[in-house]
């Protein structure tokens, strides 16, 4: 029953579960970030860069943003479906949201792995 | 056909000033509002992250900017949005696994969320303004 709900027949259920899994994942990753900064709080530029120089931190930052943007995209999509009944307007706003999500994701990917910190 | 007619005659009340939401609905709608706020501010947070990492001057500029009161105020409001979204989100997750779903328990957990947000915000206010 539960597995059937997650097949292509019920795309809404998969979106629902994706959003929840992203939420749980973000909560756990945030806990790790918090612990890391608690152990050794960066106080200047070099110590801040040192935090970002470790690979696991950068991978987790990217993972966090992937979860966050997916979670937010699904959430904003629901909000627009609830409050913007005028279809052309909703399409335009949704397109703007899509571009923002993509842009943010690429920006974080570039900050963590593109630019040489 | 009969169903359609009754649907059309149903009374509507969309006057926001006369709608009084119960506490669980207030927590729920603020979960939505705070989520949208956090999404809208996202590009700015990305920009801050970039600025703080690009070079030492960028880091200093970011640190200095965050010491100015308009930015402190913004960070305070964002902290509220984050912690409300976080605690209310945990409550929604609990309800997703059928925990605390009766009306009485839902009202109780809404109050718990509001108190947790208030207590956390005291710490945040102390950390930012104290």
């Amino acid at each position: 029953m539960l597995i059937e709900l997650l097949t292509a027949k019920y795309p809404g259920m998969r979106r629902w579960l994706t959003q929840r899994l992203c939420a749980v994942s973000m909560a756990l990753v945030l806990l790790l970030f918090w612990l890391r900064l608690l152990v050794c709080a960066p106080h200047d530029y070099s110590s801040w860069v040192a935090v970002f120089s470790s690979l696991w931190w950068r991978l987790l930052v990217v993972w966090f943003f992937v979860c966050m943007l997916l979670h937010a995209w699904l959430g904003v999509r629901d909000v627009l479906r609830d409050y913007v009944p005028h279809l052309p307007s909703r399409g335009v706003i949704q397109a703007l949201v899509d571009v923002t999500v993509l842009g943010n994701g690429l920006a974080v990917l570039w900050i963590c792995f593109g630019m040489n910190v | 056909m009969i169903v359609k007619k009754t649907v059309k005659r149903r009374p509507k009340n969309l006057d926001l000033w006369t709608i009084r939401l119960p506490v669980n609905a207030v927590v729920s709608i603020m979960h939505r509002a705070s989520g949208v706020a956090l999404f809208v501010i996202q590009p700015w947070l990305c920009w801050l992250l970039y600025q703080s990492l690009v070079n030492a001057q960028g880091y200093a500029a970011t640190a200095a900017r965050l010491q100015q009161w308009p930015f402190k105020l913004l960070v305070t409001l964002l902290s509220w949005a984050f912690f409300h979204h976080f605690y209310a989100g945990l409550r929604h997750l609990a309800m997703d696994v059928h925990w605390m779903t009766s009306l009485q328990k839902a009202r109780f957990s809404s109050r718990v969320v509001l108190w947790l947000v208030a207590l956390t915000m005291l710490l945040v206010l102390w950390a930012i303004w104290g």
Side-chain angles (χ1 to χ4, degrees), chain A residues 16 20 30 44-45 48 52 65 68 72 79 82-83 97 101 104 108 110-111 115, chain B residues 29 32 36 39 42-43 46 49-50 52-56 59 82 85-86 93 96:
Chain A
W16 174 86
R20 267 59 176 185
L30 273 181
D44 59 4
Y45 179 64
W48 180 231
F52 270 82
F65 271 87
M68 201 261 292
V79 169
D82 283 350
Y83 303 137
V97 169
V101 164
N104 266 331
V108 169
W110 185 72
I111 289 170
M115 84 183 188
Chain B
I29 194 66
R32 270 207 154 173
V36 170
F39 175 73
Q42 211 50 62
C46 278
L49 184 64
Y50 163 76
S52 72
L53 284 168
V54 67
N55 53 38
Y59 179 89
F82 171 78
H85 200 79
F86 185 79
L93 282 174
D96 283 342

Side-chain angles (χ1 to χ4, degrees), chain B residues 19-34:
Chain B
I19 297 175
R20 293 202 43 198
L21 293 176
V23 64
N24 39 1
V26 170
V27 168
S28 181
I29 194 66
M30 291 202 307
H31 180 74
R32 270 207 154 173
S34 57

